[in-house]
Amino acid sequence: MRVYLPRDAAAKALGAEAVAEALLAEAARRGVALELIRTGTRGMIWLEPLAEVEIDGVRHGVGPMTPGDVPALFEGAAAHPKALGPVEALDWMKRQTRLTFARCGLIDPLSLADYEAHGGLAGLRRALGMTPAQIVEEVTESGLRGRGGAGFPTGIKWTTVLKAEAPQKYIVCNADEGDSGTFADRMLMEGDPFTLIEGMTIAGLGVGATKGYVYLRSEYPDAIEVMEAAVRLARDAGVLGADVLGSGRAFDMEIRVGAGAYVCGEETSLLNSLEGRRGIVRAKPPLPAIEGLFGRPTVVNNVISLATVPVIFEKGARFYADFGLGRSKGTIPLQIAGNVARGGLFETAFGMPLGRIVEEIAGGTASGRPVKAVQVGGPLGAYMHPAQFDTPFGYEEFDGQGGLIGHAGLVVFDDSADMLEMARFAMEFCAVESCGKCTPCRIGAVRGVETLDRVRQGDAAALGLLEDLCETMSAGSLCALGGFTPYPVMSALRHFPEEFGMAREAAE
């Protein structure tokens, strides 16, 4: 009997370890030879812990499981009260375009043989037959943009580092995933770590870097454990080291753990922390691509950006670029959270309307009440009103609506949400997480909390001050923490003026 069960942190939080123990105990009691394979999650978090039983080569899902559900599983998965049928045939899975997350939930994350059997290392082997310039051109042609929030074209960043002359260059993976409602980086590292390792290796070959670092937040102990084990396995197998897959070309990497400061998700703060310094923002220029880690040219890319590189090289740049909308090429892993009936990760091509994501994919609110707003892009993202739900999910399309995609986290709120309180939370969050380097962020966020408290008390005159303050923070902050905090504040004010004591006509 072969059963697949996630070891992903979300599944563990919902009781996967207790289910695993129950499975092993029940198999021993019955004398059944059980092969229990621990995987990543498929991304259907509302069904976790999701057990998958292989029947005639097809994996049938049963979930959400509890230890009490285990005995019935041995009587027959198809007849189990929580049977879901073939996992690949579930609507959530069928409607996706899984490229970056194709293996997540499917394979044993720490089996390199399993990884290769499902297409792993094909992209790296192709890249080893290309020149650095050809590698960078392939990424440029794919249209891949940074998935960490800024959406900057990956090919341009790589080109800059390739052309920079230096005795040492670096690849740094930003795995400091701190946005509320986001979990794609964690899910990828826990469920398919070798794809990140492969992507970083290809990046190193492309720009001439021989050393890489993954900067991982301390709040992700499971991801740290899996990534450290995967790096050791990759090094032992010759995927990393002085002779990558026998090519004579070198690339190696390490996992470094940060202390969990939100601002270290900003690339220059991250680099300072990685160097052992205080995690504060650096003024730019110089750009990290010219003077980055230890003053050397450095590619700083997000987990999903780098983990997408292998499929681009496996299937070709044009294959990847054929998905998407306008300048938003390829796929995006939507992380659906908040007050939703179905929360989880859904990878799809850019272009799906926001309303379809919220109503059809997420199933509306868990409370059953109407959707009031959706915050897209983390705590610094704008609140999107239902009137904007026809907006296609794309960088320029969201920008045109006064929003941003960020790391593609969506947090849904029903009509009981207090939008003035949510605006205050944005300012408070910025005040707490500010590195203190620049005045607009350090002082502006504190004044923002005070001003919103005045608005709560009925001081209408404070609204003009709030708008001026947001303009100053947006224009004068050194990084996106202070610069983007006005997005949730002003979008809440614009869409829900009556909650701030304003008439809607005045807000418009």
Side-chain angles (χ1 to χ4, degrees):
M1 183 177 181
R2 180 178 294 163
V3 178
Y4 299 83
L5 186 72
R7 55 162 294 169
D8 177 270
K12 284 184 175 182
L14 292 166
E17 296 308 288
V19 172
E21 291 176 10
L23 283 165
L24 294 171
E26 187 67 18
R29 189 180 72 80
R30 292 173 179 252
V32 173
L34 173 66
E35 182 183 3
L36 180 60
I37 301 173
R38 305 304 298 272
T39 65
T41 178
R42 295 274 195 164
M44 297 177 285
I45 307 302
W46 78 97
L47 293 177
E48 295 290 5
L50 175 65
E52 299 181 28
V53 181
E54 189 171 293
I55 303 173
D56 298 328
V58 177
R59 285 161 63 165
H60 289 247
V62 182
M65 289 284 290
T66 67
D69 296 321
V70 167
L73 198 67
F74 285 81
E75 302 299 331
H80 195 282
K82 293 184 177 179
L84 301 165
V87 175
E88 297 290 346
L90 295 176
D91 189 59
W92 180 274
M93 299 301 297
K94 285 194 303 181
R95 296 176 70 165
Q96 294 188 60
T97 304
R98 284 217 162 182
L99 299 181
T100 307
F101 284 82
R103 287 176 289 266
C104 204
L106 195 63
I107 65 170
D108 176 347
L110 293 176
S111 169
L112 195 53
D114 214 359
Y115 179 69
E116 287 194 74
H118 289 83
L121 300 183
L124 176 56
R125 288 194 169 93
R126 179 177 172 230
L128 285 167
M130 303 167 74
T131 66
Q134 288 172 330
I135 290 172
V136 173
E137 177 57 31
E138 188 80 3
V139 172
T140 303
E141 187 182 340
S142 74
L144 179 66
R145 293 167 70 170
R147 297 291 190 256
F152 189 78
T154 305
I156 293 177
K157 187 178 289 188
W158 287 23
T159 299
T160 305
V161 178
L162 171 64
K163 291 181 178 179
E165 295 187 8
Q168 178 68 59
K169 300 177 184 180
Y170 296 101
I171 306 297
V172 172
C173 173
N174 184 347
D176 193 62
E177 184 176 52
D179 285 350
S180 51
T182 61
F183 45 87
D185 293 356
R186 178 192 59 73
M187 181 174 150
L188 190 286
M189 289 185 288
E190 293 176 7
D192 191 11
F194 292 119
T195 197
L196 175 56
I197 293 169
E198 183 179 355
M200 290 182 69
T201 305
I202 293 171
L205 297 173
V207 305
T210 57
K211 185 71 175 180
Y213 295 93
V214 176
Y215 184 89
L216 228 168
R217 60 194 298 109
S218 59
E219 294 93 335
Y220 280 178
D222 292 278
I224 294 167
E225 178 188 341
V226 173
M227 284 302 304
E228 288 180 339
V231 167
R232 288 194 298 270
L233 290 167
R235 192 177 291 126
D236 291 345
V239 177
L240 293 172
D243 187 20
V244 174
L245 293 181
S247 66
R249 299 163 80 174
F251 185 80
D252 208 343
M253 59 186 283
E254 298 177 23
I255 309 301
R256 293 293 175 89
V257 179
Y262 180 79
V263 76
C264 285
E266 192 278 331
E267 61 180 2
T268 63
S269 295
L270 184 156
L271 293 175
N272 274 337
S273 178
L274 198 53
E275 292 176 1
R277 305 172 189 270
R278 181 182 171 200
I280 60 173
V281 176
R282 299 177 184 176
K284 293 185 281 189
L287 297 169
I290 304 298
E291 291 183 27
L293 186 64
F294 306 119
R296 301 301 188 189
T298 304
V299 169
V300 183
N301 278 143
N302 165 261
V303 171
I304 304 305
S305 307
L306 289 163
T308 300
V309 169
V311 74
I312 290 172
F313 280 81
E314 178 192 358
K315 298 182 181 295
R318 292 193 177 182
F319 170 86
Y320 188 79
D322 281 344
F323 296 96
L325 171 72
R327 291 174 54 206
S328 302
K329 304 289 187 183
T331 61
I332 184 75
L334 304 172
Q335 297 130 87
I336 301 168
N339 190 341
V340 288
R342 295 187 291 270
L345 185 136
F346 188 94
E347 184 179 358
T348 186
F350 282 99
M352 183 179 290
L354 179 59
R356 186 175 164 197
I357 296 167
V358 174
E359 300 297 345
E360 293 185 24
I361 306 302
T365 64
S367 63
R369 298 175 68 93
V371 175
K372 184 173 187 175
V374 181
Q375 188 174 30
V376 182
L380 308 180
Y383 289 100
M384 301 291 281
H385 190 276
Q388 299 173 292
F389 276 12
D390 60 349
T391 306
F393 209 90
Y395 291 104
E396 283 68 39
E397 291 72 19
F398 264 60
D399 183 62
Q401 291 291 321
L404 51 89
I405 284 178
H407 193 39
L410 294 87
V411 180
V412 178
F413 298 84
D414 72 11
D415 62 356
S416 65
D418 182 336
M419 301 312 294
L420 173 55
E421 184 59 31
M422 297 313 299
R424 186 187 186 282
F425 171 76
M427 284 293 189
E428 183 181 29
F429 179 85
C430 182
V432 170
E433 296 292 346
S434 175
C435 75
K437 178 78 176 273
C438 68
T439 304
C441 176
R442 182 183 70 250
I443 303 299
V446 175
R447 295 292 172 261
V449 173
E450 296 170 352
T451 304
L452 283 161
D453 284 342
R454 287 171 55 187
V455 173
R456 172 73 76 187
Q457 293 164 8
D459 185 355
L463 285 168
L465 177 61
L466 179 66
E467 293 178 357
D468 288 346
L469 185 60
C470 284
E471 184 178 345
T472 299
M473 292 178 68
S474 180
S477 297
L478 274 176
C479 81
L481 178 52
F484 283 6
T485 294
Y487 272 93
V489 177
M490 294 308 297
S491 60
L493 176 61
R494 183 170 61 252
H495 297 311
F496 307 98
E498 61 279 1
E499 298 192 28
F500 293 75
M502 289 180 67
R504 182 167 292 277
E505 294 76 16
E508 294 174 352

